[in-house]
Amino acid sequence: MPEPVEYFNSAISVNCAVFAYDKADENLKILLIHREFDPYKGLLALPGGLVYPNESLDNAVENIVKSVTGIDYFYSEQVRAFTDTNRHPSGRVVSIAYLCLVNLKDVNLTNSSFAISPEWYPIHEKPNLVFDHDHITDTAYQRLQNDLRIKPLAFELLNSKFTLPQLQTLYEVVLNTQFDKRNFRRKLAYMDYIEDTKEVQKYNLYRPAKLYRFNHEKFSIMRKKGSLFSI
Amino acid sequence: MPEPVEYFNSAISVNCAVFAYDKADENLKILLIHREFDPYKGLLALPGGLVYPNESLDNAVENIVKSVTGIDYFYSEQVRAFTDTNRHPSGRVVSIAYLCLVNLKDVNLTNSSFAISPEWYPIHEKPNLVFDHDHITDTAYQRLQNDLRIKPLAFELLNSKFTLPQLQTLYEVVLNTQFDKRNFRRKLAYMDYIEDTKEVQKYNLYRPAKLYRFNHEKFSIMRKKGSLFSI
DNA sequence: ACAAAAGTGTTGACATTACACCCATGC
DNA sequence: GCATGGGTGTAATGTCAACACTTTTGT
């Protein structure tokens, strides 16, 4: 197919559904920002932005999340492209959505050049967003729910040392289900890459819980041997 | 974020991984074309093309597959976006990949304005393709393998009336596994939306197999009731 | 009658669920 | 010593995998 210039006048954007888990109030939260510029200046949206023609999307996602949260390294995966012709008032803008997971305690929310007043919202109290960002959010949340059961993503949302009650509550909150405590723990006991740190939780009111650690190296060795993660 | 024109000089393309199942030689096949234009004129590629700024991607996919195969309605789903900055020599072209499933007997391969000499290739004898189309093909095939187990996609690849041996062989070929005949058939027996047509296969050498039909309406009622498809 | 593929049930192994009490700690 | 959440095993059930013979048809 010949490529007349008229094809080269679309724009690419990324939008990031950034999730964090708040142990304090046991809520899954999503990061929303107020748009600094038109269209929809001042209104709530997912963090994101247009991508330079020579910029990689991974780079764009890193920059966006880092500029808002201050975090350097975090889990991210592409969800899918959102391509409705009329999704953006300024022209043809295809948005590639990313699911990002961060640890709340590493986050330092700051205004950036394109995102003011970033804030965490419990996923079930999310206000309406601009563009098709409600749809993107729903799709990303479904992906998170799906992937949480088959990939070790929970550990991206917790501190490197965590307790089993914390882990179980995280699963229950994100998946909106209940797990039997003993069955849940038995399943984890088979996962050799979840290690007892021999430490216990500090500063808690009653019996302190043991702290565990997710060993990424052991997990990737296990995975190469064909062992699958499943909750 | 302000939107200077420099953002609006990327192009969007779709690429279609079109799969069909050939009962005759029991192969899963993928549709490849020779490119009519530069870059890579004459070389093998996935069917696809640049998308007009006001054109929906679903439309683009339909046009492409119809122009090559003559088929009007077929199953398709987005796989994901391929976005490497250097994937296309003519500039920034983001490709959105689609998985398409067609019934071989409905197909009439014809040259089109952008695709010459379309041909079916057994997926395991696929030659190397241009751009990142090998990568796209791998990803789409993995998606097909994954979805075949949890969505009723096999019926998109078979005639509306099919036999259980055909269905089982299709699963075995696409997933590259073996199933126990009795276990496989028991699983299907629980699916009320797979109906006995009371007809049998004609013109076959030995004992004729019963013909079944996938009832889409019954399936979507079942699914609404929460029943999940699984092989 | 024979060759070839279609069709059919049962059993054991394993995985999943349901369920109730003792333990460790801070106050 | 009491209040609270942390931590532990067993039995029943359901699911999945293994397995061999009879039936139907065309020639």
Side-chain angles (χ1 to χ4, degrees):
Chain A
M1 179 173 289
E3 283 145 17
V5 268
E6 78 220 50
Y7 285 113
F8 282 84
N9 56 10
S10 298
I12 313 299
S13 75
V14 297
N15 284 110
C16 303
V18 184
F19 289 98
Y21 175 67
D22 192 337
K23 284 183 304 206
D25 60 9
E26 300 187 346
N27 262 316
L28 180 71
K29 295 188 175 172
I30 187 164
L31 182 59
L32 302 179
I33 58 101
H34 293 265
R35 286 176 62 82
E36 173 77 295
F37 299 109
D38 273 323
Y40 304 127
K41 179 175 172 177
L43 298 184
L44 276 172
L46 293 175
L50 296 173
V51 177
Y52 288 104
N54 61 350
E55 187 185 10
S56 83
L57 268 62
D58 285 346
N59 224 56
V61 169
E62 275 175 40
N63 287 341
I64 287 160
V65 174
K66 177 164 187 179
S67 74
V68 179
T69 66
I71 293 181
D72 271 310
Y73 300 106
F74 54 91
Y75 176 85
S76 78
E77 62 174 279
Q78 190 193 117
V79 177
R80 70 175 181 88
F82 290 80
T83 66
D84 280 4
T85 48
N86 57 357
R87 61 175 297 284
H88 198 294
S90 312
R92 186 64 182 272
V93 181
V94 166
S95 172
I96 321 282
Y98 283 78
L99 167 65
C100 304
L101 305 178
V102 302
N103 183 336
L104 200 57
K105 86 166 193 333
D106 298 334
V107 172
N108 220 321
L109 294 183
T110 50
N111 290 333
S112 73
S113 57
F114 51 85
I116 55 179
S117 309
E119 270 184 86
W120 293 107
Y121 288 77
I123 186 67
H124 293 119
E125 298 168 23
K126 180 189 72 63
N128 287 338
L129 307 179
V130 299
F131 301 112
D132 52 359
H133 288 195
D134 289 324
H135 185 199
I136 295 177
T137 304
D138 289 347
T139 309
Y141 182 39
Q142 282 170 32
R143 173 72 70 93
L144 172 60
Q145 291 186 316
N146 195 64
D147 281 2
L148 197 67
R149 303 199 74 127
I150 57 175
K151 298 178 184 176
L153 297 189
F155 312 105
E156 307 291 335
L157 296 165
L158 291 171
N159 294 343
S160 61
K161 294 175 187 175
F162 55 87
T163 71
L164 297 188
Q166 280 169 5
L167 184 66
Q168 181 175 345
T169 305
L170 186 158
Y171 270 96
E172 292 178 340
V173 165
V174 177
L175 299 176
N176 196 31
T177 48
Q178 292 286 107
F179 291 93
D180 179 275
K181 183 164 48 161
R182 283 177 284 194
N183 296 338
F184 184 82
R185 295 164 89 104
R186 183 181 13 259
K187 202 168 259 188
L188 294 166
Y190 284 110
M191 303 179 184
D192 294 338
Y193 42 83
I194 295 179
E195 301 173 330
D196 190 340
T197 65
K198 307 290 181 191
E199 298 174 62
V200 296
Q201 216 174 16
K202 289 277 173 219
Y203 314 120
N204 60 323
L205 204 43
Y206 303 108
R207 175 175 176 176
K210 290 188 196 173
L211 288 165
Y212 291 82
R213 183 196 297 112
F214 178 77
N215 186 324
H216 287 80
E217 296 73 34
K218 274 194 189 171
F219 176 71
S220 67
I221 292 168
M222 288 276 162
R223 197 178 34 183
K224 276 173 199 149
K225 289 182 185 163
S227 146
L228 298 176
F229 185 88
S230 170
I231 293 287
Chain B
M1 178 175 289
E3 283 145 17
V5 265
E6 76 222 51
Y7 286 112
F8 283 84
N9 55 11
S10 298
I12 313 298
S13 75
V14 297
N15 284 111
C16 303
V18 184
F19 289 99
Y21 175 67
D22 192 338
K23 283 183 304 205
D25 60 7
E26 299 188 350
N27 263 316
L28 180 71
K29 296 187 175 174
I30 186 164
L31 182 59
L32 302 179
I33 58 104
H34 293 265
R35 285 176 63 81
E36 172 79 296
F37 299 109
D38 272 322
Y40 304 127
K41 179 172 171 179
L43 298 184
L44 276 172
L46 293 174
L50 296 172
V51 177
Y52 287 104
N54 62 350
E55 186 185 11
S56 83
L57 268 63
D58 285 345
N59 225 57
V61 169
E62 275 175 40
N63 287 340
I64 288 160
V65 175
K66 176 164 188 182
S67 73
V68 179
T69 67
I71 294 181
D72 271 310
Y73 300 106
F74 54 91
Y75 176 84
S76 78
E77 61 173 281
Q78 190 192 118
V79 177
R80 70 174 180 87
F82 290 80
T83 66
D84 280 5
T85 48
N86 57 358
R87 62 175 296 283
H88 199 294
S90 312
R92 185 65 181 270
V93 180
V94 166
S95 172
I96 321 282
Y98 283 78
L99 168 64
C100 305
L101 304 179
V102 302
N103 184 335
L104 200 57
K105 86 165 193 334
D106 298 334
V107 172
N108 221 321
L109 293 184
T110 50
N111 289 333
S112 74
S113 58
F114 50 86
I116 55 179
S117 307
E119 271 183 84
W120 293 107
Y121 288 77
I123 185 68
H124 293 119
E125 299 168 22
K126 180 188 73 62
N128 287 338
L129 307 180
V130 299
F131 301 112
D132 52 359
H133 288 194
D134 289 324
H135 186 199
I136 295 177
T137 303
D138 289 347
T139 309
Y141 181 39
Q142 281 171 32
R143 173 71 70 93
L144 172 60
Q145 290 186 316
N146 194 65
D147 281 3
L148 196 69
R149 303 199 73 125
I150 58 176
K151 298 178 185 176
L153 298 190
F155 312 105
E156 307 291 335
L157 296 165
L158 292 170
N159 294 343
S160 61
K161 294 175 186 175
F162 55 88
T163 71
L164 297 189
Q166 280 168 6
L167 184 66
Q168 181 175 346
T169 304
L170 186 159
Y171 270 97
E172 291 179 340
V173 165
V174 177
L175 300 177
N176 196 31
T177 48
Q178 292 286 108
F179 290 93
D180 178 276
K181 184 163 50 161
R182 281 176 286 193
N183 294 339
F184 184 82
R185 294 164 90 104
R186 179 179 19 257
K187 204 168 258 187
L188 294 165
Y190 284 111
M191 303 179 184
D192 295 337
Y193 41 83
I194 295 179
E195 301 173 331
D196 189 341
T197 64
K198 308 288 183 194
E199 297 173 63
V200 296
Q201 215 175 14
K202 289 277 174 220
Y203 312 121
N204 58 325
L205 205 43
Y206 302 108
R207 176 174 176 177
K210 290 188 195 172
L211 287 165
Y212 290 83
R213 184 196 297 113
F214 178 78
N215 187 324
H216 287 80
E217 296 72 35
K218 274 194 189 170
F219 176 72
S220 69
I221 292 168
M222 288 277 161
R223 197 177 36 184
K224 275 174 198 147
K225 289 181 184 165
S227 145
L228 299 177
F229 185 89
S230 170
I231 295 286

